[in-house]
Short mmCIF file of all heavy atoms in Angstrom, two decimals:
data_model
loop_
_atom_site.label_atom_id
_atom_site.label_comp_id
_atom_site.label_asym_id
_atom_site.label_seq_id
_atom_site.Cartn_x
_atom_site.Cartn_y
_atom_site.Cartn_z
N ASN A 27 111.78 65.37 96.83
CA ASN A 27 111.03 65.96 95.69
C ASN A 27 111.83 67.10 94.99
O ASN A 27 111.31 67.63 94.05
CB ASN A 27 109.69 66.46 96.16
CG ASN A 27 109.82 67.50 97.33
OD1 ASN A 27 110.85 68.10 97.51
ND2 ASN A 27 108.74 67.67 98.05
N GLY A 28 113.03 67.33 95.49
CA GLY A 28 113.88 68.41 94.84
C GLY A 28 113.42 69.78 95.06
O GLY A 28 113.85 70.70 94.35
N LYS A 29 112.46 70.03 96.02
CA LYS A 29 111.97 71.37 96.31
C LYS A 29 112.76 72.05 97.35
O LYS A 29 113.12 71.46 98.40
CB LYS A 29 110.46 71.27 96.66
CG LYS A 29 109.54 70.80 95.51
CD LYS A 29 108.09 70.98 95.85
CE LYS A 29 107.28 70.66 94.62
NZ LYS A 29 105.79 70.84 94.84
N TYR A 30 112.96 73.39 97.09
CA TYR A 30 113.71 74.17 98.04
C TYR A 30 112.73 74.96 98.91
O TYR A 30 111.62 75.33 98.47
CB TYR A 30 114.63 75.22 97.27
CG TYR A 30 115.70 74.56 96.52
CD1 TYR A 30 115.58 74.15 95.21
CD2 TYR A 30 116.93 74.36 97.14
CE1 TYR A 30 116.62 73.65 94.46
CE2 TYR A 30 118.01 73.83 96.44
CZ TYR A 30 117.87 73.49 95.15
OH TYR A 30 118.89 72.87 94.42
N SER A 31 113.12 75.22 100.12
CA SER A 31 112.37 76.05 101.10
C SER A 31 113.31 76.82 101.91
O SER A 31 114.53 76.66 101.86
CB SER A 31 111.49 75.17 101.99
OG SER A 31 112.26 74.20 102.69
N ILE A 32 112.75 77.77 102.71
CA ILE A 32 113.55 78.65 103.57
C ILE A 32 114.38 77.83 104.57
O ILE A 32 113.79 76.87 105.15
CB ILE A 32 112.69 79.64 104.36
CG1 ILE A 32 112.15 80.69 103.30
CG2 ILE A 32 113.41 80.34 105.47
CD1 ILE A 32 113.27 81.57 102.76
N GLY A 33 115.67 78.11 104.79
CA GLY A 33 116.49 77.36 105.67
C GLY A 33 116.70 78.08 107.03
O GLY A 33 116.17 79.18 107.26
N ILE A 34 117.45 77.43 107.84
CA ILE A 34 117.60 77.92 109.26
C ILE A 34 118.33 79.20 109.35
O ILE A 34 118.02 80.00 110.32
CB ILE A 34 118.39 76.80 110.05
CG1 ILE A 34 118.36 77.07 111.54
CG2 ILE A 34 119.79 76.71 109.60
CD1 ILE A 34 117.02 77.05 112.20
N SER A 35 119.22 79.56 108.43
CA SER A 35 119.92 80.84 108.54
C SER A 35 119.03 82.00 108.30
O SER A 35 119.06 83.03 108.98
CB SER A 35 121.08 80.89 107.52
OG SER A 35 122.16 79.95 107.85
N ALA A 36 118.10 81.80 107.37
CA ALA A 36 117.08 82.88 107.07
C ALA A 36 116.13 83.00 108.31
O ALA A 36 115.78 84.18 108.63
CB ALA A 36 116.31 82.57 105.81
N PHE A 37 115.82 81.85 108.77
CA PHE A 37 114.89 81.89 109.97
C PHE A 37 115.61 82.59 111.18
O PHE A 37 114.98 83.35 111.93
CB PHE A 37 114.59 80.47 110.43
CG PHE A 37 113.75 80.31 111.70
CD1 PHE A 37 112.40 80.55 111.67
CD2 PHE A 37 114.41 80.03 112.87
CE1 PHE A 37 111.68 80.50 112.84
CE2 PHE A 37 113.63 79.91 114.08
CZ PHE A 37 112.33 80.20 114.05
N ALA A 38 116.93 82.36 111.35
CA ALA A 38 117.62 83.01 112.47
C ALA A 38 117.62 84.50 112.32
O ALA A 38 117.43 85.26 113.29
CB ALA A 38 119.06 82.48 112.53
N ILE A 39 117.79 85.00 111.08
CA ILE A 39 117.80 86.43 110.81
C ILE A 39 116.38 87.02 111.20
O ILE A 39 116.22 88.07 111.79
CB ILE A 39 118.16 86.77 109.37
CG1 ILE A 39 119.64 86.46 109.19
CG2 ILE A 39 117.82 88.25 109.07
CD1 ILE A 39 120.10 86.62 107.79
N GLY A 40 115.36 86.29 110.67
CA GLY A 40 113.95 86.78 110.89
C GLY A 40 113.62 86.78 112.41
O GLY A 40 113.00 87.67 112.90
N SER A 41 114.10 85.70 113.08
CA SER A 41 113.83 85.68 114.51
C SER A 41 114.49 86.77 115.29
O SER A 41 113.96 87.29 116.25
CB SER A 41 114.32 84.31 115.01
OG SER A 41 113.63 83.24 114.46
N THR A 42 115.66 87.19 114.85
CA THR A 42 116.37 88.26 115.50
C THR A 42 115.63 89.51 115.38
O THR A 42 115.49 90.33 116.32
CB THR A 42 117.81 88.46 114.86
OG1 THR A 42 118.56 87.28 115.06
CG2 THR A 42 118.47 89.60 115.50
N TYR A 43 115.05 89.73 114.21
CA TYR A 43 114.23 90.99 114.02
C TYR A 43 112.93 90.95 114.89
O TYR A 43 112.61 91.90 115.56
CB TYR A 43 113.78 91.13 112.58
CG TYR A 43 112.81 92.26 112.33
CD1 TYR A 43 113.28 93.58 112.32
CD2 TYR A 43 111.41 92.02 112.14
CE1 TYR A 43 112.38 94.58 112.19
CE2 TYR A 43 110.55 92.99 111.99
CZ TYR A 43 111.04 94.33 112.05
OH TYR A 43 110.15 95.34 111.92
N VAL A 44 112.22 89.81 114.81
CA VAL A 44 110.96 89.76 115.58
C VAL A 44 111.20 89.87 117.06
O VAL A 44 110.38 90.43 117.73
CB VAL A 44 110.27 88.44 115.24
CG1 VAL A 44 109.07 88.21 116.14
CG2 VAL A 44 109.81 88.39 113.70
N SER A 45 112.33 89.30 117.54
CA SER A 45 112.59 89.34 118.97
C SER A 45 113.10 90.73 119.44
O SER A 45 113.18 90.94 120.63
CB SER A 45 113.60 88.26 119.31
OG SER A 45 114.90 88.53 118.74
N SER A 46 113.48 91.52 118.50
CA SER A 46 113.97 92.87 118.93
C SER A 46 112.76 93.70 119.45
O SER A 46 111.62 93.44 119.18
CB SER A 46 114.63 93.58 117.69
OG SER A 46 113.65 93.89 116.73
N LYS A 47 113.06 94.77 120.14
CA LYS A 47 112.07 95.62 120.77
C LYS A 47 111.49 96.54 119.72
O LYS A 47 111.75 97.71 119.66
CB LYS A 47 112.60 96.36 122.00
CG LYS A 47 111.50 97.00 122.85
CD LYS A 47 112.07 97.56 124.11
CE LYS A 47 111.04 98.12 124.95
NZ LYS A 47 110.05 97.16 125.47
N SER A 48 110.67 96.01 118.77
CA SER A 48 110.18 96.73 117.65
C SER A 48 108.70 97.07 117.92
O SER A 48 108.08 96.51 118.73
CB SER A 48 110.30 95.88 116.39
OG SER A 48 109.55 94.75 116.51
N LEU A 49 108.20 97.90 117.03
CA LEU A 49 106.78 98.16 117.05
C LEU A 49 105.96 96.90 116.85
O LEU A 49 104.91 96.76 117.49
CB LEU A 49 106.46 99.23 115.97
CG LEU A 49 105.04 99.66 115.80
CD1 LEU A 49 104.55 100.34 117.06
CD2 LEU A 49 104.79 100.49 114.63
N LEU A 50 106.47 96.00 116.05
CA LEU A 50 105.73 94.79 115.74
C LEU A 50 105.51 94.03 117.02
O LEU A 50 104.39 93.46 117.24
CB LEU A 50 106.53 93.97 114.78
CG LEU A 50 105.95 92.60 114.37
CD1 LEU A 50 104.54 92.73 113.78
CD2 LEU A 50 106.84 91.91 113.31
N SER A 51 106.51 93.96 117.88
CA SER A 51 106.34 93.19 119.15
C SER A 51 105.27 93.71 120.00
O SER A 51 104.52 93.02 120.68
CB SER A 51 107.74 93.12 119.87
OG SER A 51 108.06 94.40 120.37
N HIS A 52 105.11 95.06 120.05
CA HIS A 52 104.11 95.62 120.91
C HIS A 52 102.67 95.34 120.30
O HIS A 52 101.75 95.05 121.06
CB HIS A 52 104.30 97.21 120.93
CG HIS A 52 105.49 97.62 121.68
ND1 HIS A 52 105.56 97.53 123.08
CD2 HIS A 52 106.69 98.11 121.31
CE1 HIS A 52 106.73 98.01 123.50
NE2 HIS A 52 107.41 98.39 122.41
N ILE A 53 102.57 95.48 119.01
CA ILE A 53 101.26 95.17 118.39
C ILE A 53 100.95 93.69 118.48
O ILE A 53 99.78 93.23 118.69
CB ILE A 53 101.26 95.61 116.93
CG1 ILE A 53 101.51 97.15 116.86
CG2 ILE A 53 99.90 95.34 116.26
CD1 ILE A 53 101.60 97.69 115.45
N HIS A 54 101.96 92.86 118.44
CA HIS A 54 101.74 91.38 118.61
C HIS A 54 101.19 91.06 119.85
O HIS A 54 100.31 90.25 120.03
CB HIS A 54 103.17 90.71 118.36
CG HIS A 54 103.12 89.25 118.01
ND1 HIS A 54 103.09 88.25 118.92
CD2 HIS A 54 103.01 88.66 116.78
CE1 HIS A 54 103.02 87.13 118.27
NE2 HIS A 54 103.00 87.35 116.96
N SER A 55 101.62 91.74 120.95
CA SER A 55 101.10 91.55 122.23
C SER A 55 99.60 91.91 122.30
O SER A 55 98.73 91.20 122.89
CB SER A 55 101.82 92.44 123.33
OG SER A 55 101.25 92.31 124.54
N ALA A 56 99.23 93.10 121.64
CA ALA A 56 97.87 93.44 121.61
C ALA A 56 97.02 92.46 120.83
O ALA A 56 95.86 92.22 121.13
CB ALA A 56 97.78 94.87 120.94
N MET A 57 97.58 91.88 119.81
CA MET A 57 96.90 90.89 119.00
C MET A 57 96.59 89.62 119.83
O MET A 57 95.45 89.01 119.66
CB MET A 57 97.71 90.49 117.75
CG MET A 57 97.81 91.58 116.73
SD MET A 57 98.97 91.33 115.42
CE MET A 57 98.34 89.81 114.60
N ASN A 58 97.60 89.27 120.66
CA ASN A 58 97.31 88.19 121.56
C ASN A 58 96.13 88.36 122.46
O ASN A 58 95.31 87.50 122.72
CB ASN A 58 98.56 87.88 122.41
CG ASN A 58 99.55 86.76 121.84
OD1 ASN A 58 99.10 85.74 121.62
ND2 ASN A 58 100.74 87.17 121.78
N GLU A 59 96.03 89.52 123.00
CA GLU A 59 94.93 89.97 123.89
C GLU A 59 93.62 89.86 123.13
O GLU A 59 92.61 89.35 123.66
CB GLU A 59 95.16 91.35 124.42
CG GLU A 59 96.37 91.48 125.41
CD GLU A 59 96.63 92.87 125.78
OE1 GLU A 59 95.74 93.79 125.57
OE2 GLU A 59 97.73 93.14 126.32
N LEU A 60 93.64 90.35 121.88
CA LEU A 60 92.37 90.27 121.07
C LEU A 60 91.90 88.85 120.88
O LEU A 60 90.71 88.47 121.05
CB LEU A 60 92.65 90.90 119.74
CG LEU A 60 91.49 90.97 118.74
CD1 LEU A 60 91.49 92.21 117.85
CD2 LEU A 60 91.35 89.75 117.87
N VAL A 61 92.88 87.91 120.57
CA VAL A 61 92.48 86.48 120.32
C VAL A 61 91.95 85.85 121.62
O VAL A 61 91.09 85.05 121.55
CB VAL A 61 93.69 85.76 119.75
CG1 VAL A 61 93.40 84.24 119.70
CG2 VAL A 61 94.10 86.25 118.41
N THR A 62 92.52 86.26 122.73
CA THR A 62 92.05 85.71 124.03
C THR A 62 90.57 86.11 124.23
O THR A 62 89.77 85.31 124.71
CB THR A 62 92.89 86.29 125.16
OG1 THR A 62 94.25 85.91 125.00
CG2 THR A 62 92.40 85.79 126.48
N VAL A 63 90.19 87.36 123.80
CA VAL A 63 88.81 87.77 124.01
C VAL A 63 87.87 87.19 122.92
O VAL A 63 86.82 86.74 123.17
CB VAL A 63 88.72 89.27 123.96
CG1 VAL A 63 87.32 89.78 123.98
CG2 VAL A 63 89.54 89.90 125.14
N CYS A 64 88.36 87.23 121.63
CA CYS A 64 87.44 86.86 120.56
C CYS A 64 87.50 85.42 120.17
O CYS A 64 86.55 84.87 119.51
CB CYS A 64 87.78 87.67 119.33
SG CYS A 64 87.55 89.44 119.61
N ASN A 65 88.55 84.71 120.45
CA ASN A 65 88.75 83.31 120.10
C ASN A 65 88.74 83.18 118.61
O ASN A 65 88.28 82.09 118.09
CB ASN A 65 87.66 82.42 120.74
CG ASN A 65 87.92 82.13 122.18
OD1 ASN A 65 89.01 81.89 122.62
ND2 ASN A 65 86.88 82.23 122.96
N GLU A 66 89.25 84.14 117.90
CA GLU A 66 89.29 84.06 116.43
C GLU A 66 90.72 84.52 116.02
O GLU A 66 91.44 85.14 116.77
CB GLU A 66 88.29 84.99 115.75
CG GLU A 66 86.85 84.66 116.11
CD GLU A 66 86.38 83.26 115.64
OE1 GLU A 66 87.09 82.63 114.90
OE2 GLU A 66 85.24 82.92 116.15
N THR A 67 91.13 84.13 114.80
CA THR A 67 92.47 84.36 114.32
C THR A 67 92.63 85.89 113.97
O THR A 67 91.73 86.49 113.36
CB THR A 67 92.71 83.56 112.97
OG1 THR A 67 92.77 82.24 113.34
CG2 THR A 67 94.12 83.92 112.39
N CYS A 68 93.77 86.36 114.38
CA CYS A 68 94.10 87.84 114.16
C CYS A 68 95.33 87.95 113.27
O CYS A 68 96.35 87.27 113.48
CB CYS A 68 94.31 88.52 115.46
SG CYS A 68 94.64 90.28 115.33
#
């Protein structure tokens, strides 16, 4: 269809950030706990 989307190199950079020991990773863990309790999307 000639449409462009995000490629693997951009994904690799994003994955490096998310996997780093950032504030986001700590909150992400808390979000997992919330979904376990509430069974709803966070």
Side-chain angles (χ1 to χ4, degrees):
N27 57 21
K29 291 190 174 184
Y30 293 91
S31 57
I32 288 294
I34 190 66
S35 293
F37 175 78
I39 290 174
S41 296
T42 299
Y43 172 76
V44 172
S45 65
S46 66
K47 194 172 180 61
S48 63
L49 178 64
L50 178 56
S51 67
H52 291 289
I53 300 177
H54 202 267
S55 175
M57 291 169 64
N58 264 308
E59 294 173 14
L60 181 149
V61 173
T62 299
V63 174
C64 298
N65 285 316
E66 302 295 350
T67 298
C68 184

